[in-house]
Amino acid sequence: MRRTRTAARASVGVIGGSGLYDIEGLKDVREVRVRTPFGQPSDTVVLGTLEGVGIAFLSRHGRGHRLNPSEINYRANIYALKSLGVSRVISVSAVGSMKESIKPGDVVFPDQFIDLTKRRPSTYFEGGMVAHVAFGEPICAALSQTLQSAAGRLGAPLHRGGTYLCMEGPQFSTKAESRLYRQWGVDVIGMTNMPEAKLAREAEVCYATMALVTDYDCWHETEDAVTVEAILATLHRNVALAKRLLAAVAPAVAALPACGCHSALTNAIVTAPKSVPPATRRKLALLTRRVIAAQKGAQ
Ligand SMILES: CSC[C@H]1O[C@H](OP(=O)(O)O)[C@H](O)[C@@H]1O
Ligand SMILES: Nc1ncnc2[nH]cnc12
């Protein structure tokens, strides 16, 4: 296994959630242990090529599913992928359905989030450097659209758009909570996409989620309330679809033109450069060097 900071490269990152601990068909596979200034990622990163495209795969909970949603080091995960050259991240996530029309086995491509997490570091910008990135459109539309087209071609029962509510967990919701979220118009519920999507935006990396629906949470009158057993049974059926989709979509994702996600930090950093403590400047150099170089070029 290689230990690396920057030597190995990939352009497309895949964060595999529950049930997705590897991807099939990867060629030239290498595993790298990436060190980050934010601590350890969930696992080693598996690098390889899929249809000729450099892919970096990271298991969100770690292989063996060792980390609960609150224990995942989201900052290290996104940083690790960025340090390997990744400019687009595809997140694969198991979710519960909050609507009758969204059935277990369906695939949802959310375009909005509600963040109800409570105890997760959710920004890189602290310690003397403050940034406020725009997050009105938290999902990269171009990346999500590409995934949706591929899912459509594979015949997946899909839903374009929708709101993903991210709860802290690890316990599932109470019925009162579940009913409340339904009143809010939420489409799906999970425990992991926040702060992952926020950090991807701060890292100027495109982010889109392919949400695999596994259950009806606990609000449904006639369906059983969610259990891990039921989730895993449904996942076994649709993880294969996720794997086929990733192989089908890799070349189109790699060919996408640069988009607004890649310049998210432009005009977002508020702190005067001379006020940033040197240690913070060094810690955030990988994330800020594009915008700092652009500012210098404009002077
Ligand atoms: C094992 S079921 C609950 C678990 O699954 C989802 O994780 P992920 O988004 O990584 O697929 C959900 O958010 C919970 O963490
Ligand atoms: N009902 C649910 N609530 C939270 N996370 C989930 N992941 C899969 N199903 C879920």
Side-chain angles (χ1 to χ4, degrees):
M1 185 192 309
R2 297 251 307 263
R3 287 171 190 273
T4 184
R5 282 203 176 124
T6 53
R9 309 293 287 175
S11 66
V12 179
V14 177
I15 299 183
S18 300
L20 188 70
Y21 306 106
D22 59 67
I23 41 182
E24 275 159 22
L26 270 190
K27 294 205 176 113
D28 309 316
V29 178
R30 284 172 298 162
E31 257 182 68
V32 290
R33 189 180 302 284
V34 185
R35 292 181 211 194
T36 91
F38 296 92
Q40 272 198 346
S42 298
D43 208 328
T44 52
V45 180
V46 178
L47 288 164
T49 59
L50 202 53
E51 305 295 322
V53 174
I55 303 281
F57 175 82
L58 178 58
S59 165
R60 181 182 284 127
H61 301 269
R63 279 166 289 183
H65 208 111
R66 294 171 284 99
L67 301 167
N68 78 32
S70 313
E71 290 175 316
I72 293 168
N73 188 338
Y74 297 93
R75 292 196 296 192
N77 286 356
I78 295 291
Y79 189 101
L81 294 176
K82 171 97 179 172
S83 75
L84 293 168
V86 164
S87 58
R88 295 188 170 86
V89 166
I90 301 169
S91 144
V92 183
S93 288
V95 294
S97 164
M98 303 303 285
K99 290 190 172 159
E100 186 77 57
S101 57
I102 302 176
K103 299 183 169 47
D106 289 2
V107 185
V108 178
F109 294 90
D111 57 359
Q112 284 297 327
F113 291 108
I114 293 177
D115 185 359
L116 292 190
T117 63
K118 299 170 187 163
R119 54 185 189 95
R120 306 178 186 185
S122 62
T123 181
Y124 291 110
F125 291 90
E126 58 185 19
M129 193 177 205
V130 179
H132 302 283
V133 294
F135 205 52
E137 302 294 345
I139 289 284
C140 174
L143 178 56
S144 187
Q145 199 50 250
T146 308
L147 300 178
Q148 290 169 38
S149 303
R153 282 195 297 275
L154 291 177
L158 67 104
H159 303 264
R160 300 173 188 271
T163 298
Y164 172 126
L165 180 140
C166 191
M167 60 182 289
E168 184 66 46
Q171 303 82 2
F172 293 115
S173 307
T174 64
K175 281 190 177 167
E177 288 164 338
S178 200
R179 289 185 197 123
L180 178 68
Y181 305 153
R182 272 168 57 73
Q183 283 173 24
W184 291 353
V186 164
D187 294 280
V188 294
I189 185 164
M191 304 180 190
T192 61
N193 278 204
M194 288 287 148
E196 203 171 77
K198 288 178 173 170
L199 295 164
R201 179 60 54 81
E202 287 189 347
E204 299 191 322
V205 167
C206 301
Y207 182 92
T209 295
M210 171 186 190
L212 307 176
V213 181
T214 52
D215 55 87
Y216 278 113
D217 201 43
C218 60
W219 57 268
H220 205 285
E221 300 289 341
T222 55
E223 298 286 337
D224 289 340
V226 55
T227 61
V228 166
E229 192 187 9
I231 289 178
L232 295 181
T234 312
L235 274 179
H236 279 135
R237 293 202 293 276
N238 58 8
V239 155
L241 170 78
K243 290 182 176 177
R244 275 193 293 139
L245 188 136
L246 291 171
V249 89
V253 170
L256 283 169
C259 76
C261 308
H262 298 148
S263 51
L265 286 178
T266 301
N267 301 324
I269 300 174
V270 205
T271 313
K274 61 179 184 320
S275 303
V276 178
T280 299
R281 187 174 305 140
R282 281 196 297 277
K283 190 172 180 183
L284 295 179
L286 172 76
L287 308 180
T288 57
R289 67 177 171 222
R290 183 206 66 79
V291 71
I292 289 171
Q295 277 161 2
K296 281 196 179 134
Q299 279 166 8

